[in-house]
Amino acid sequence: MTIQNYTEVLVREVMTEYLKLHGFNGDETEREDVLAIVLNKLPQRYFLSTSNEGEKKAFLLDKQLRMKALIEISAAATDMGK
C-alpha cells in the first residue's frame, strides 16, 4: 500500500496545459522550481493506492482547485522570467 500526493498530480496536469498554451522559456530545472513553488502554496491531499478511483478523479477535476493551481503557476512562471 502506497500513498500519493494528488495535489502534485493535479498541478502537473494543469502545468502541462499551461505550457501548451503559454509556453515557458525555462529549462527542466526551472519547471521543477515552478512546480515546487506552486505545491508549497496549495493544500496537500494524499490518497492511498487502495482509495476509491472515483474520489481521486473527483479531486483531479475540482474546477476551483484547478483554477487556483493555474493562477499560482502563472504567477510563479512570471516570477521565474524576471
Side-chain angles (χ1 to χ4, degrees), residues 23-60:
F24 182 69
N25 294 331
D27 60 12
E28 189 61 33
T29 302
E30 290 174 334
R31 288 180 187 178
E32 291 295 318
D33 289 346
V34 168
L35 178 67
I37 290 167
V38 174
L39 288 174
N40 282 325
K41 293 184 177 188
L42 296 176
Q44 304 305 300
R45 179 73 188 266
Y46 293 89
F47 288 98
L48 292 171
S49 58
T50 58
S51 294
N52 181 336
E53 290 299 317
E55 187 178 4
K56 293 176 188 177
K57 190 69 167 176
F59 176 78
L60 293 176

Side-chain angles (χ1 to χ4, degrees), residues 7-21 38 60 62 65-74:
T7 301
E8 183 174 347
V9 174
L10 181 137
V11 171
R12 285 186 186 277
E13 282 182 9
V14 174
M15 196 165 160
T16 299
E17 294 169 14
Y18 176 85
L19 293 175
K20 283 180 187 176
L21 293 174
V38 174
L60 293 176
D62 182 324
L65 188 55
R66 291 180 77 83
M67 183 58 72
K68 185 167 173 112
L70 179 60
I71 291 167
E72 295 297 342
I73 290 166
S74 179

